[in-house]
Each structure stands twice: as C-alpha cells, then as structure tokens.
Amino acid sequence: MVPISLTKIFEQYPDRRYIMFGGKGGLGKTTFSAATAYYLAKQGKRVLVFSVDPQASLSDIFKKDIFGKGPTEIMPNLYAQEIDADQRVKEYQQEIRQKILDMYGMDKIPEEIESYIQAAAAEPAMEESAIFDEVVDIVVKGGFDYYIYDLVPLGHALYYLSMASVYDEWIGKITGLRQQMREYDQVAAVMRHEKNAEEDAILNELLYIKDRINKSSGILTDKERTAFFFVVTAEEMVINDTLKAAGLFAKFDVPLSGYIVNRVLPEELKNQQIPEYLKNRLTMQDHYLKVIDDTFKNQILAYVPEMERDVTGLQMIEKLAERMFD
C-alpha cells in the first residue's frame, strides 16, 4: 500500500503546531522528533523540540550538551531542550517555601514543614509533576511556530497525559471549596460592617495553577492544533501494544494523526547472498508489514528504512528527514 505523504499532512494542516511522537521505548521517537524539527526548520519555521523523558537523548542525537540549559540553538530556526527535572524540583521546593513565608508572614519555615518538603521531593510523583510544570511553562510562554514533544515511552506517556485531567479535577474541587469559603468571608465582613475581606492568596494561587493546566491540556486534545503520530515496527508485540495504546490515547481525546513504520529492511537484500538469519528476518518483516497494512490501512504516513548507522549529528538527521518527508 502506498502511504499518504507525511509532507502532505503538514501542508494540509498548517495549524497543527504541537507535534508528538509516541510508541514503545527504543522504536525511534526521539530521532523522528529531531528529524521533524530539522525538516520544519529548513522550511523556515521556528521550531522547539523538547524532551519530557528523564533519560532523554536529544543531547546525543544533536551531539551537543543541552541538558538543563533551556532552549538551545542547534542551527538557524531549530532549538532543542532537555528538561532537568532535579533542578526543577529544587526550584519547586524553593517556590513552596517562599509562598508559605509570604502567605503566613513567617520569617522561617518550621522544621516539620521543611521535613515534609524534603520528603515530598524524593517521591517519583514530584519529578513527574516538575516535568509537567516545565512543559506548561514552555507551552504558555510561546515564541515558536512549532513545538515538538519527545514523549516518554507509552506507559509513562499515558500517565503524563492523564495528569492534566487529574490535576484539573483535583484543583477544580479545591478551588470550588475555597471560593465558597471566600463568599462566606465576604458575607461575614458585610455583617460586621467591615470593608471587603482580605484578598485570598491561596485561592488566587489555585486559580493561577488551574488556568495553566487548562491551557496545556487544552492544547494536547485540540484537533486543530495538535498532531500525534505513533511509531511502529514490523513486529508482533509492537503492533499489539500500539493498538492497545491507540485505544487508551483515544480515551484522553488525543488527536491521532497517523502511523510511521520504522526500521524497514530494504527489499533488494532478498536478491543478494545473505545469512539465514537475515532471510528469516525479511520473511517475518513481510508478514508483519502486511499485518500493519491491513490493520492501520490509510493511516500509514511513511515507511522509514533501517539506517546504515546511528542517527546522530545533523548530517544523519538530514538523511533521516529526507526519508521521512520524501
């Protein structure tokens, strides 16, 4: 089956400026993210590719240390960023201390609260939360034509996507209760013939967080502005996992734009003297490529060949981009 061109998808939907690649670990999400960023930058678009994976490898792919350094220019129009979750957690802790001091007029954080802040920082959820918060910062700040998310592997990606709705629901409930208390305070102030009740700093903080989360999660599920591509290879387990994941992503209303088949071995190998192992791999590939064709049909956007060496450095990224967008 001849796939729809990935290039045409970008031409047909120019408003889709938030691009994500999902799939199991090790299938090529990061290299596809880098190659897509390269392609769009060459089209004159200002692009930021950033990783939400704590074990990110954009530094390796671009051969430049970008970890924790914010948006770093790789070439004209192309910027890359790896989030330093540990640093973000430390900033998070300091922000919490400062807010407690400001809200309650304290000179020093009480020992038991400091112990709680230290203990909470060691929780995995704090790292996830710090990364999520950084992503919200990146998206809300703006300044780029395209944002390319190098997502974590599927299980974590689902957790990450679910955080927006969980946070939103939780903060919605807390905010509702706080607003009720605020209304009671105002009524009490009137009855006591006092001026307006003092401004509720905690309610304002909750409303600020809720607004940021709504902006970020709104983008993730916006069919007009977001494109999500699944990376798949011609292997039984990968196909099965991709099908399950696609169903779960649909539950979060993430707009699925299509599938890209990676690491396709060249057909011409069949006419050459090759080891038995490789013959078997080609036979298996033929079978599962047919399964992929039958399963995903006209949603397949590109078949990308197995590259002759690791995709690192701009020369190899350009080569991969040419294969993806030819």
Side-chain angles (χ1 to χ4, degrees), residues 44-309:
K45 307 296 182 189
R46 189 174 157 84
V47 186
L48 175 66
V49 53
F50 61 96
S51 180
V52 298
D53 188 346
Q55 296 177 323
S57 53
L58 284 174
S59 284
D60 296 331
I61 286 175
F62 287 120
K63 291 187 171 178
K64 190 166 191 172
D65 180 15
I66 60 171
F67 184 70
K69 293 183 166 59
T72 305
E73 187 173 23
I74 303 295
M75 62 182 231
N77 291 326
L78 172 53
Y79 292 77
Q81 180 173 358
E82 281 179 345
I83 296 168
D84 181 348
D86 288 341
Q87 180 57 35
R88 187 67 178 173
V89 166
K90 285 178 188 161
E91 291 169 5
Y92 227 42
Q93 288 176 297
Q94 192 50 39
E95 283 172 20
I96 291 167
R97 288 188 192 99
Q98 195 56 52
K99 279 171 185 168
I100 291 172
L101 293 176
D102 292 344
M103 283 181 189
Y104 298 100
M106 296 174 174
D107 296 323
K108 187 183 169 193
I109 298 291
E111 206 170 297
E112 59 274 22
I113 294 179
E114 179 59 36
S115 301
Y116 175 77
I117 292 172
Q118 293 290 344
E123 293 289 331
M126 180 65 97
E127 183 180 271
E128 303 272 6
S129 176
I131 292 172
F132 180 82
D133 202 45
E134 179 80 17
V135 172
V136 175
D137 263 356
I138 290 169
V139 170
V140 170
K141 196 179 291 175
F144 293 91
D145 297 319
Y146 281 89
Y147 294 85
I148 300 180
Y149 297 58
D150 173 24
L151 282 177
V152 288
L154 283 176
H156 281 86
L158 285 166
Y159 176 68
Y160 167 78
L161 290 169
S162 69
M163 280 181 77
S165 57
V166 171
Y167 273 21
D168 187 46
E169 192 174 338
W170 179 75
I171 288 180
K173 284 181 183 170
I174 301 286
T175 306
L177 286 171
R178 196 78 200 180
Q179 273 171 330
Q180 274 186 352
M181 289 169 62
R182 171 75 176 153
E183 285 164 13
Y184 293 149
D185 284 348
Q186 284 176 330
V187 170
V190 170
M191 291 177 72
R192 291 197 298 267
H193 303 291
E194 293 174 355
K195 290 182 180 174
N196 290 338
E198 289 181 8
E199 192 175 356
D200 188 333
I202 294 175
L203 176 60
N204 290 343
E205 181 68 16
L206 288 168
L207 289 171
Y208 170 72
I209 295 170
K210 187 173 169 60
D211 179 58
R212 280 163 54 84
I213 289 173
N214 283 342
K215 278 181 183 162
S216 179
S217 60
I219 287 169
L220 288 174
T221 55
D222 187 336
K223 291 181 172 54
E224 301 298 320
R225 293 188 292 166
T226 301
F228 187 94
F229 302 101
F230 263 117
V231 182
V232 62
T233 57
E235 295 167 90
E236 184 177 13
M237 279 185 65
V238 174
I239 296 167
N240 291 342
D241 284 349
T242 303
L243 275 171
K244 284 181 203 161
L248 290 169
F249 272 68
K251 285 187 181 174
F252 290 106
D253 291 326
V254 176
L256 183 55
S257 298
Y259 297 82
I260 302 171
V261 187
N262 195 18
R263 295 191 185 140
V264 180
L265 295 170
E267 277 286 308
E268 56 267 28
L269 280 177
K270 290 179 183 170
N271 304 322
Q272 298 173 15
Q273 290 292 326
I274 54 175
E276 197 66 25
Y277 160 79
L278 206 45
K279 282 181 188 168
N280 291 338
R281 294 293 302 180
L282 282 164
T283 303
M284 186 187 86
Q285 175 176 279
D286 284 349
H287 170 70
Y288 287 114
L289 282 179
K290 182 156 189 332
V291 173
I292 288 172
D293 280 349
D294 292 342
T295 306
F296 303 116
K297 298 185 169 61
N298 58 0
Q299 296 178 84
I300 299 167
L301 304 175
Y303 291 91
V304 180
E306 178 82 274
M307 304 300 280
E308 64 271 23
R309 68 176 179 83

